[in-house]
Amino acid sequence: MSAKPSTPRNSGSKATRTAERRSARTPPPGWQDPLAQQQPLVSGRWLLYALLAVVGFAAISAYLTLCLLFYQGQWQVVFHPSRAVATTPASLGLRYDDVRFDYTGTGIAQLNGWWIPAEANALLADRTILFFHDGSGSLANVGEQLKTLHSLGANIFAFDYRGFGNSVNDHPSESRVYEDADAAWNYLTDIRHLDPKSIVLYGSGLGATIAVEAAVRHRESPALVLENPAPPALSLIEADSRTHLLPIQWLFRDRFEIMPKLQQLGLVLGEPAAGLVASGKQPASPIILNQAAANGPRLLVLLGPSPTSDPRYRPTLAEFLRDVRSATH
């Protein structure tokens, strides 16, 4: 048997095979790689613009967030409530009724106040002072002043706005305190059946603007007493350098502008009282302005470092209340 011829396992030389592989990898003449012609997917300029856009959007978002936070929390700039009522008229030796009023449809009392009755034989026992505090603390902070007012011989009714003292826990605002003032007036006239012409409105600080608004809404009141009226809240905010970056005119809603309200009542404060009220400055010595309007309530304005500690405070107020009583008796 003849043997089969053997077939070589690898044909051609090593050099030939290497040349063939190189030839297979070498592009033909004139061929261009499409990837080499493609432009970069992201240019440096585009990245810069994108970065600036992101930073700008973040800055605008932060600014709008700051505006929203100010808008939501602006009530804390005007009001400084306290829920603590550490003292009561009883602590000062006065008889009083702790009053709950302004009930909701579900029977929840919104407001809490103190009714401090006059002595039976007091000269002004048929007069009632509706007192509006200055929007700081609670009724506990004005106990001594209420005692001084009571010593004049009149009934006293003072209350806490919503968010203060034992009244319902809610954020106060300008519109809400005006509603609370209406509720206090309605309590005196509808529940206690007091003659509206026997109710004297008394406001201190921010409460002075609330008292004037109450007089605008309830023209039956014969008299209005303002103690160191607070200037418009917007002017105080604008004077703070920290608010200059914000559009305060658009964001701030609790204005508490007292002058337009006085004008509605036919009352115009002359200088220097008007300038002091507008700026919030206090005179070096007390100023007392007693004014009567043709169609509005009689007005008494007390300006000074501490009107209640001034020796003229009590006799001036007593004479004012007697004059009001004589005019409406």
Side-chain angles (χ1 to χ4, degrees):
M1 178 180 291
S2 61
K4 294 181 179 179
S6 60
T7 303
R9 299 177 58 184
N10 296 313
S11 61
S13 65
K14 182 177 180 181
T16 301
R17 293 194 300 271
T18 301
E20 291 174 350
R21 287 196 295 269
R22 288 179 178 174
S23 177
R25 293 197 300 266
T26 301
W31 183 88
Q32 293 182 352
D33 188 352
L35 296 178
Q37 298 176 348
Q38 184 176 352
Q39 296 294 327
L41 294 178
V42 180
S43 67
R45 180 177 297 180
W46 189 92
L47 285 175
L48 177 61
Y49 290 159
L51 178 61
L52 292 176
V54 170
V55 172
F57 180 77
I60 293 173
S61 298
Y63 182 75
L64 293 178
T65 300
L66 179 62
C67 292
L68 178 61
L69 291 174
F70 177 83
Y71 182 80
Q72 293 293 338
Q74 64 181 267
W75 65 273
Q76 300 175 75
V77 179
V78 180
F79 303 97
H80 304 92
S82 171
R83 303 295 292 172
V85 184
T87 61
T88 67
S91 307
L92 304 173
L94 299 175
R95 295 185 299 110
Y96 83 107
D97 293 334
D98 190 74
V99 177
R100 304 278 179 170
F101 64 103
D102 192 28
Y103 285 85
T104 65
T106 57
I108 299 175
Q110 300 285 295
L111 302 172
N112 174 248
W114 294 340
W115 169 260
I116 308 174
E119 300 298 331
N121 58 350
L123 177 62
L124 300 173
D126 59 345
R127 305 289 110 173
T128 297
I129 298 175
L130 175 54
F131 184 85
F132 303 94
H133 66 68
D134 64 357
S136 298
S138 68
L139 283 178
N141 297 91
V142 294
E144 289 291 345
Q145 184 169 11
L146 297 181
K147 182 177 181 179
T148 300
L149 293 174
H150 181 263
S151 68
L152 299 174
N155 304 297
I156 309 296
F157 184 62
F159 69 100
D160 271 322
Y161 317 115
R162 279 175 284 183
F164 292 78
N166 290 326
S167 293
V168 69
N169 190 11
D170 201 354
H171 290 168
S173 68
E174 183 174 13
S175 61
R176 285 176 178 171
V177 295
Y178 293 160
E179 292 172 0
D180 296 343
D182 285 340
W185 176 274
N186 293 336
Y187 168 77
L188 293 177
T189 57
D190 297 344
I191 305 301
R192 288 197 172 269
H193 304 290
L194 299 182
D195 182 355
K197 294 183 178 180
S198 71
I199 301 174
V200 175
L201 303 172
Y202 188 119
S204 173
L206 188 71
T209 306
I210 302 172
V212 176
E213 176 66 20
V216 170
R217 299 187 181 197
H218 306 285
R219 301 294 182 106
E220 309 95 320
S221 176
L224 183 60
V225 181
L226 309 180
E227 175 193 325
N228 281 332
L234 182 61
S235 65
L236 297 177
I237 299 300
E238 290 179 329
D240 191 333
S241 60
R242 294 172 296 179
T243 64
H244 290 174
L245 293 177
L246 299 176
I248 300 300
Q249 289 282 353
W250 294 350
L251 295 176
F252 200 69
R253 62 178 182 270
D254 294 334
R255 303 300 180 94
F256 285 99
E257 296 177 339
I258 192 171
M259 293 302 184
K261 301 180 189 300
L262 286 171
Q263 292 173 2
Q264 291 183 57
L265 295 171
L267 299 168
V268 180
L269 297 183
E271 292 292 345
L276 292 170
V277 171
S279 64
K281 297 179 181 179
Q282 291 187 347
S285 58
I287 293 178
I288 298 175
L289 175 64
N290 193 331
Q291 180 179 351
N295 299 316
R298 191 176 183 88
L299 174 68
L300 178 66
V301 181
L302 306 170
L303 299 170
S306 182
T308 54
S309 62
D310 186 88
R312 295 184 298 169
Y313 172 79
R314 192 176 179 281
T316 299
L317 190 54
E319 182 182 0
F320 176 79
L321 294 175
R322 287 195 296 269
D323 290 345
V324 171
R325 183 178 184 274
S326 299
T328 58
H329 194 60

